[in-house]
Amino acid sequence: MAISIERLRSLLRVTEPALELVASTVEDHDGYTVEHLRFRLPGGTEIRGLLTRPAGNTKPGPAILYAHAHGARYDIGASELIDGRPALLDAPGPVLARKGYVALCIDMPVFGGRADVTESTATKAALWHGQTLFGQMLGEQAAALTWLAARADVDSSRIGMTGISMGATLTYYLAAIDTRIAAAAHLCCYADFAMLVETGAHDLHGHYLTIPGLLAETSTGEIAGLIAPRPQLICAGLDDPLTPPLAIHRAFIETLTAYETVDAETAVTLLEEAGIGHRETPSMRRAVIDFFKQHLSRPLP
């Protein structure tokens, strides 16, 4: 039997903090608008957020919670939404806005405006306090989701989530434990973690993903399977050293089984590309855009 959502949340040590908006400035661009946001957590920690939206739109519509990547580029963080990064074709925020989506991205701990603390320092401190850095990240993503869903220009029943690399792990983990994510599309970080440990490939991943006891109770495939029956798109390059093909396939067998169990096998798709490493491709971009168009174009039943 797959792990329960409650037990997974307990292992991750996820709690959703209150997220207060304390400042906002607006910039108009060609066909889209950017909002520069500053949030505050209980205790005073401030978080930078960036939001892109269709120019001039005020009616409730679909939205995307966008989780930024890692890539050992601690300086990028949320600015990935409007500036892109080397692993992406281009900046996703303007593309999503021109397609009709409001998109929000916030700095995760140790990234962007919060890079004054190292990942190693933050991971150790969290573990020594009985918490996990990844659980903190997920809690803050959930808080960002709550804020996004409350906007007047967002239909809370039509919020998807996406990201590449670390953003991918945040996407399928949050979708697994939070049913407010109506559709999840993730790139380049889906693989059976136990097999990664067996092959040594786990050491290519960041410390943020250290979750004590996780593999004794569950697996990547089962966790992604908790999203069922909601739609899920998984994109992977078969030459990506972070996600070897055998580890992808082992995970997908379990995820697909979870979807089959609830008669929703057509709701999950694995897009694999030969000769592709840890990066987005035009095929992946088209698949993600088509996926959200299909599943967020109207309120889900």
Side-chain angles (χ1 to χ4, degrees), residues 27-117:
E27 292 178 356
D28 290 323
H29 295 264
D30 182 20
Y32 69 98
T33 297
V34 176
E35 296 184 14
H36 296 262
L37 310 170
R38 191 168 79 249
F39 298 99
R40 183 176 295 138
L41 292 171
T45 298
E46 293 197 350
I47 299 177
R48 177 183 60 159
L50 288 166
L51 182 140
T52 53
R53 56 180 170 83
N57 181 64
T58 57
K59 295 180 180 179
I64 304 294
L65 182 62
Y66 186 90
H68 69 74
H70 187 305
R73 289 292 306 272
Y74 299 98
D75 57 310
I76 296 178
S79 62
E80 176 179 324
L81 185 70
I82 59 173
D83 295 330
R85 67 165 53 237
L88 294 174
L89 297 175
D90 54 23
V95 174
L96 291 168
R98 291 185 176 117
K99 296 291 184 181
Y101 301 95
V102 175
L104 172 66
C105 185
I106 64 171
D107 279 336
M108 288 287 86
V110 315
F111 291 92
R114 307 170 75 183
D116 55 333
V117 176

Side-chain angles (χ1 to χ4, degrees), residues 14 32 62-63 65 67 84 102 130 134 143-144 146 153 174 187 189 202 230 235 238 259 272 276 278-279 283 289 300:
V14 177
Y32 69 98
L65 182 62
V102 175
F134 193 49
T146 296
D153 57 355
L174 187 65
L187 287 64
C189 212
H202 70 292
R230 287 167 289 145
C235 298
L238 293 179
Y259 275 79
E272 300 174 295
I276 299 300
H278 197 70
R279 64 180 177 87
S283 296
I289 295 298
L300 296 176

